[in-house]
Amino acid sequence: MRAFRTIGLVVVLASVAHAAVWTTVYRYDEITPLGIVDPNQTAVYRDVMVGTHLVLIVSSDSDRFWAGTLYTSWDDAAYGVLSARGYGPVWKNYEESCLDAAGRGALVQEYPGMGAGFSLSTGDNFGVPGWDPLAGDWFVLDYYAQSRGSCDVMLYSGIASSQVLVETLSFTHVASRDFNGDHIVDFKDLAILSSRWRTTTDSDPNGPNAKLDLNSDQRIDSQDLAFFSEYWLERTDFVESAADPNEPPLDSQ
Ligand SMILES: [Ca+2]
Ligand SMILES: [Ca+2]
């Protein structure tokens, strides 16, 4: 395996300039792309609420071996968290983050380098069916908006000193409007906001009503309602709908 890997790394150094590799950012459902702020800046995304789960798919139009990294700086890791799926201890590989087109032997491993994230590599390119990478979606990773602020996620091709920055995904996290923490902004949250309407809050960011004061002016009023409305009915993650004790079970209807 080590010999294969060494040869593969030689291949990647030769092919970095030719392979197109990119990341697409989806919402938690893995279907809906996250909107961008400016069509001329395709990697600057619209603000998301703290607690939002995004899905990052790394794709390519190449069928050649590729290795790279996806990570945040240590500073930005306080705001946004990357995670991978299906850790297998034998190869220290996040197996479920490796998609079929990456080929057998693809690896997603903790990145021991300049930031918090993962090393990515496809299967090797030796013409063996199933092991060779194919053009398509290679890797899937998750991203969580951890706290208010900005976080850049960088995708590099190559390894070590040969790394080439491919793209920087820029995320900004704003205060959550999901006051009751059920992953959707709806009437339940509006009721919580309304229950404190035209009251004042203290300046303690950890105070009981601070999360309702979305513009941090120590008042809960129409300005907060306007900020709240920007994310009306937006979901931050997928959840199974909880059984409503006031409704009969489906099989009795
Ligand atoms: Ca809610
Ligand atoms: Ca306010």
Side-chain angles (χ1 to χ4, degrees):
M1 176 61 80
R2 177 170 293 180
F4 280 19
R5 186 67 58 199
T6 302
I7 295 170
L9 294 178
V10 172
V11 172
V12 74
L13 294 178
S15 61
V16 158
H18 305 291
V21 181
W22 65 88
T23 305
T24 309
V25 181
Y26 295 94
R27 292 194 169 279
Y28 68 93
D29 60 6
E30 305 187 20
I31 297 172
T32 310
L34 181 64
I36 55 176
V37 172
D38 179 349
N40 298 316
Q41 291 183 288
T42 54
V44 179
Y45 295 91
R46 61 157 296 196
D47 297 351
V48 296
M49 294 183 289
V50 169
T52 296
H53 170 202
L54 301 173
V55 178
L56 279 52
I57 305 280
V58 178
S59 309
S60 178
D61 62 2
S62 170
D63 59 0
R64 305 295 299 272
F65 175 83
W66 179 88
T69 50
L70 187 76
Y71 67 92
T72 68
S73 70
W74 291 118
D75 286 344
D76 282 10
Y79 300 100
V81 175
L82 282 170
S83 68
R85 304 178 180 181
Y87 181 72
V90 175
W91 296 102
K92 297 182 177 178
N93 184 25
Y94 289 87
E95 298 163 359
E96 293 173 18
S97 279
C98 303
L99 303 178
D100 289 347
R104 289 180 64 185
L107 295 172
V108 172
Q109 298 176 311
E110 299 275 355
Y111 174 53
M114 302 292 289
F118 297 89
S119 302
L120 318 173
S121 61
T122 69
D124 290 308
N125 191 67
F126 291 104
V128 181
W131 287 80
D132 289 358
L134 301 171
D137 296 337
W138 281 352
F139 307 104
V140 56
L141 294 104
D142 298 288
Y143 175 88
Y144 296 91
Q146 183 87 351
S147 58
R148 291 172 70 170
S150 297
C151 179
D152 286 347
V153 176
M154 295 161 288
L155 176 68
Y156 283 86
S157 276
I159 59 166
S161 60
S162 70
Q163 285 194 335
V164 176
L165 179 63
V166 175
E167 59 183 351
T168 301
L169 316 173
S170 295
F171 301 113
T172 299
H173 313 152
V174 298
S176 178
R177 278 67 163 166
D178 174 26
F179 303 131
N180 69 341
D182 65 354
H183 303 292
I184 185 169
V185 178
D186 63 9
F187 285 103
K188 294 176 182 174
D189 306 295
L190 179 60
I192 294 171
L193 184 68
S194 302
S195 71
R196 298 291 185 273
W197 190 247
R198 291 187 175 171
T199 61
T200 57
T201 65
D202 59 37
S203 57
D204 179 1
N206 298 314
N209 297 324
K211 65 183 179 182
L212 308 179
D213 180 20
L214 296 171
N215 65 342
S216 302
D217 65 353
Q218 277 91 62
R219 284 183 52 80
I220 298 171
D221 58 20
S222 57
Q223 293 188 51
D224 303 300
L225 179 61
F227 283 114
F228 173 82
S229 302
E230 291 175 350
Y231 290 84
W232 181 245
L233 294 183
E234 189 159 303
R235 287 183 175 274
T236 57
D237 204 348
F238 175 81
V239 288
E240 296 284 351
S241 56
D244 186 339
N246 298 312
E247 295 287 339
L250 289 174
D251 56 9
S252 68
Q253 295 179 9

